Amino acid sequence: RDLFFKIFIVIGYLFNHESVYRGKDFLLWKILKAVDEARNGNFDPIKFGNLKLIRDWGYAPEYVVGFYKSLLQVVPDDYIFCTGKTGTIENLIQVFFEYNDLNWKEKIEIDANLFRNNEPEIICGNPN
């Protein structure tokens, strides 16, 4: 690449990533809230949108390691941060609930109003 202004520029394309630092309005925290309430005996359902969506989820701290390594390269480049593996939102919910010996179907309610227009059914990165 031409370093016109002699600026080292790296571009990172990030696929879905989660960590404990993610905001409370994001999916992971919504699932954790549902699990916590179910464990504490509150069985008022929590509303979710389309559980059949398929996503490529990674762990944010591992992506940060990738950012750091991309900045150590001699030549700047574009990088894709993803896992190349997918899972449904429903499966993610199921894993959290089963880990806590809970039935997710008693706590989760699907609300068509939470479906997004033009939401891609599958989002998966290619780490190659």
Side-chain angles (χ1 to χ4, degrees):
R1 293 188 180 224
D2 181 21
L3 297 176
F4 184 72
F5 289 104
K6 297 189 180 187
I7 298 173
F8 186 91
I9 298 174
V10 172
I11 297 174
Y13 299 93
L14 282 69
F15 281 72
N16 295 63
H17 52 286
E18 296 291 345
S19 83
V20 296
Y21 299 107
R22 200 79 153 132
K24 302 278 187 213
D25 341 345
F26 286 90
L27 179 66
L28 181 63
W29 280 106
K30 195 171 182 179
I31 295 170
L32 292 173
K33 179 181 178 187
V35 169
D36 186 53
E37 288 189 8
R39 287 180 67 192
N40 290 315
N42 179 356
F43 285 97
D44 294 333
I46 293 185
K47 296 179 180 183
F48 283 82
N50 187 354
L51 301 184
K52 301 299 182 191
L53 297 176
I54 299 167
R55 296 293 180 260
D56 177 334
W57 272 292
Y59 184 48
E62 291 175 350
Y63 285 19
V64 172
V65 171
F67 305 159
Y68 175 73
K69 288 181 178 181
S70 70
L71 294 172
L72 297 177
Q73 302 307 306
V74 175
V75 178
D77 206 349
D78 297 348
Y79 294 92
I80 297 174
F81 297 95
C82 63
T83 67
K85 299 175 186 173
T86 59
T88 64
I89 294 172
E90 181 177 39
N91 182 252
L92 186 62
I93 290 170
Q94 185 178 354
V95 167
F96 278 89
F97 272 79
E98 285 180 0
Y99 182 83
N100 287 279
D101 295 320
L102 298 167
N103 181 358
W104 69 272
K105 292 182 180 181
E106 295 174 351
K107 185 65 180 164
I108 303 302
E109 182 179 302
I110 297 177
D111 182 348
N113 293 322
L114 295 176
F115 283 50
R116 294 179 181 166
N117 294 335
N118 302 320
E119 180 88 43
E121 185 179 332
I122 300 172
I123 297 178
C124 182
N126 181 349
N128 296 322

